Amino acid sequence: MRVLVVEDTHDVAEAIVAHFQRQGHVCDHAASREDAAHLANLEPYDLIVLDLNLPDGSGLTLLKELRTARNDVPVLVLTARMHVEDKIDALDLGADDYLVKPFDLRELEARARAVSRRRHGVAEAAIDAGNLRCDFAARTVAIDGCEVELTRREFILLEAFLGNLGRVLEKDDLYSRLYGLTGEAGLNAVEVYIGRLRRKLETADLEIKTLRGLGYQATVRQGERP
């Protein structure tokens, strides 16, 4: 996933970002409502982890602004506020989940995965695409029951394609999922990783098509494979 962590407490933000990165997700961090709004309008995210008590205003204001602008990015509120009224306000404004501090990083990441899956209409932790099965929780991939080993970035790409079957994903979008705002490599890195992923999935029913000038599209082959 591509995650934006909005948290002004440095050690908390650092721990969340480090944990998500270890799990293979790409994270950006904003310590204020203004910075978070800028990033949310600049980049497509799979999830925003949102603290409510920010130095320049309430996270609820940001949530309301996102929903007013018809930005449907999933939002997981993470806050020390434990009153029922606070939870009701957040959910009524369009939050997808609510977790109270202190929290376990494993629970946060599990909730994040569940929220992201629901956004793409996937209720289970695993998804089947023809003879390919991907377990997002266990981070395993199998073709006809035989496990296929993917690197972290190959899995990120596969996760993006499976969550957007039939949709065209632009190269810039895939690059941001792989590298965030760090700019560690050029855009050609996307082609390199897609080439590697295609080779590892060559016996799968999942086909990743290149649409010149548009991007990439994943579809499930129907009938017999050539």
Side-chain angles (χ1 to χ4, degrees):
M1 291 184 292
R2 179 82 188 278
V3 182
L4 174 61
V5 177
V6 186
E7 170 64 61
D8 66 319
T9 304
H10 179 72
D11 57 344
V12 175
E14 192 175 63
I16 294 173
V17 169
H19 180 80
F20 272 76
Q21 288 178 338
R22 283 196 299 271
Q23 299 305 311
H25 307 298
V26 174
C27 290
D28 296 324
H29 171 234
S32 68
R33 184 185 63 81
E34 182 179 358
D35 288 346
H38 174 71
L39 289 174
N41 290 321
L42 184 67
E43 298 288 336
Y45 288 99
D46 298 298
L47 177 73
I48 294 178
V49 177
L50 178 64
D51 185 20
L52 296 187
N53 297 318
L54 299 171
D56 57 346
S58 171
L60 290 180
T61 302
L62 173 62
L63 177 59
K64 184 176 181 179
E65 291 171 349
L66 290 171
R67 296 308 185 234
T68 300
R70 300 189 181 279
N71 187 332
D72 64 351
V73 57
V75 174
L76 192 163
V77 170
L78 182 64
T79 178
R81 299 183 190 179
M82 60 182 65
H83 296 298
V84 174
E85 290 78 8
D86 294 321
K87 183 180 293 188
I88 291 173
D89 287 344
L91 295 173
D92 280 347
L93 284 173
D96 297 87
D97 203 352
Y98 193 102
L99 186 60
V100 176
K101 300 175 181 178
F103 59 94
D104 188 299
L105 287 167
R106 295 169 300 174
E107 180 182 2
L108 173 62
E109 208 255 340
R111 284 174 178 260
R113 291 196 308 265
V115 167
S116 180
R117 290 198 305 270
R118 288 198 297 270
R119 181 197 185 197
H120 297 300
V122 180
E124 303 296 329
I127 185 172
D128 294 313
N131 64 346
L132 181 145
R133 182 173 180 81
C134 180
D135 190 319
F136 297 113
R139 304 192 71 76
T140 58
V141 178
I143 300 173
D144 289 324
C146 298
E147 189 167 336
V148 177
E149 185 175 342
L150 299 184
T151 65
R152 179 175 67 87
R153 288 199 168 102
E154 290 165 356
F155 192 91
I156 289 172
L157 283 177
L158 178 60
E159 188 176 32
F161 284 125
L162 289 176
N164 295 276
L165 283 174
R167 299 192 184 107
V168 177
L169 298 179
E170 296 180 357
K171 183 184 289 188
D172 287 345
D173 178 22
L174 294 174
Y175 179 83
S176 68
R177 291 172 184 266
L178 291 173
Y179 294 101
L181 299 176
T182 60
E184 296 176 16
L187 278 176
N188 288 340
V190 175
E191 298 175 14
V192 172
Y193 279 105
I194 286 181
R196 293 175 182 174
L197 182 61
R198 280 173 171 152
R199 286 192 290 274
K200 290 185 177 182
L201 303 182
E202 61 182 356
T203 60
D205 291 331
L206 186 74
E207 181 180 13
I208 301 172
K209 302 174 183 177
T210 299
L211 304 179
R212 297 197 178 281
L214 297 175
Y216 300 90
Q217 179 188 49
T219 58
V220 179
R221 295 188 180 96
Q222 302 297 320
E224 294 292 327
R225 294 191 300 275

